[in-house]
Amino acid sequence: MRIRWVISVLATLLIVGCVAHQVNQTNLSYPHKARLPKIENYAVYYGSDKIDELSKFDLVILDPDNYSKDEIEKLKRNGTIVLAYLSLGEVNENRWYFEYAKRCILGKNPTWGSYYINLSCKTWKSLLLGKIIPKILEKGFDGLFLDTVDVVDNYPQFKDDMIDLIKSIRAEYPNIILIQNRGFSVIDETAKYVNGVLFECFTTHYNWSSGKYELWSGDDLNWVNEMALKLLKLRDKYDLIILTLDYADNEYLKE
């Protein structure tokens, strides 16, 4: 699991508003889009406990292994939408299903210590649809936060497999909420199947040379702006919610 430091759990930065409120003609073919209400704030938290703090948010993204069904129900009683983290393109050896997924492993991600998945491996798709997602949803989660979609940037031969996987999740679970993290190289195809997109590292990125978080600049900033404009168009077309997530070093959080 990736440990992430959110720039603030109290302030949510959204691209031009919180939610596209009007369901347009395009969305009439995708009735699941109407399930996501207006979101004013959200939190991403991969630790455990903190139920009282998390209940203050409209939407929270949690590690499903760290919460019981009773805890999730408590959050939902307070009106919070609760989504479970799910990695589609990588698997960590600490996950309960790692032994099942081993036959689909391509290699190790040296940055995070997780393992890349061969998305054309039928075992992985069956494992997700038949075991992993059902076990997550039986705890009462409202939906899934789909991470590591952008693994296809490193393995472009699996783009069609990733699109098919997200399409299959929607087909198998038509009434759950799906939020996709980045995955911009496939977003034009997957946008119709998800309720929203999270733009992680929207204004900052981690510089591995300096060991600090820095603002995007130059050509990288131009790319970020290009992706933001793409998301705005998709938001209007498919009535998506667009969330952003940024990071900062602790020294900045104290200022």
Side-chain angles (χ1 to χ4, degrees), residues 13-15 18 33 36 42 61 145-146 178-184 187-188 190-192 194-200 227 230-231 234-235 238-245:
L13 185 60
L14 302 180
I15 301 176
C18 299
K33 299 291 187 180
L36 192 57
Y42 82 103
I61 298 169
F145 173 65
L146 307 177
L178 298 177
I179 302 292
Q180 175 178 321
N181 187 19
R182 294 174 67 100
F184 299 120
I187 189 61
D188 288 313
T190 60
K192 62 177 69 72
V194 299
N195 299 87
V197 181
L198 186 147
F199 196 152
E200 186 176 14
M227 292 304 104
K230 173 185 277 195
L231 289 182
L234 291 172
R235 178 201 66 174
Y238 294 111
D239 198 39
L240 300 174
I241 178 176
I242 306 298
L243 308 175
T244 67
L245 177 63

Side-chain angles (χ1 to χ4, degrees), residues 24-77:
N24 58 33
Q25 187 68 27
T26 305
N27 280 326
L28 295 181
S29 298
Y30 306 99
H32 60 273
K33 299 291 187 180
R35 293 196 67 251
L36 192 57
K38 184 177 180 180
I39 304 297
E40 296 286 357
N41 52 61
Y42 82 103
V44 180
Y45 181 65
Y46 296 149
S48 57
D49 199 16
K50 306 292 183 182
I51 297 297
D52 291 338
E53 292 92 332
L54 292 169
S55 65
K56 299 174 183 178
F57 294 93
D58 294 335
L59 182 148
V60 295
I61 298 169
L62 309 177
D63 187 322
D65 293 343
N66 290 342
Y67 289 88
S68 67
K69 184 174 183 178
D70 288 342
E71 289 175 314
I72 294 164
E73 287 301 322
K74 182 177 180 180
L75 278 172
K76 292 174 66 174
R77 283 196 298 272

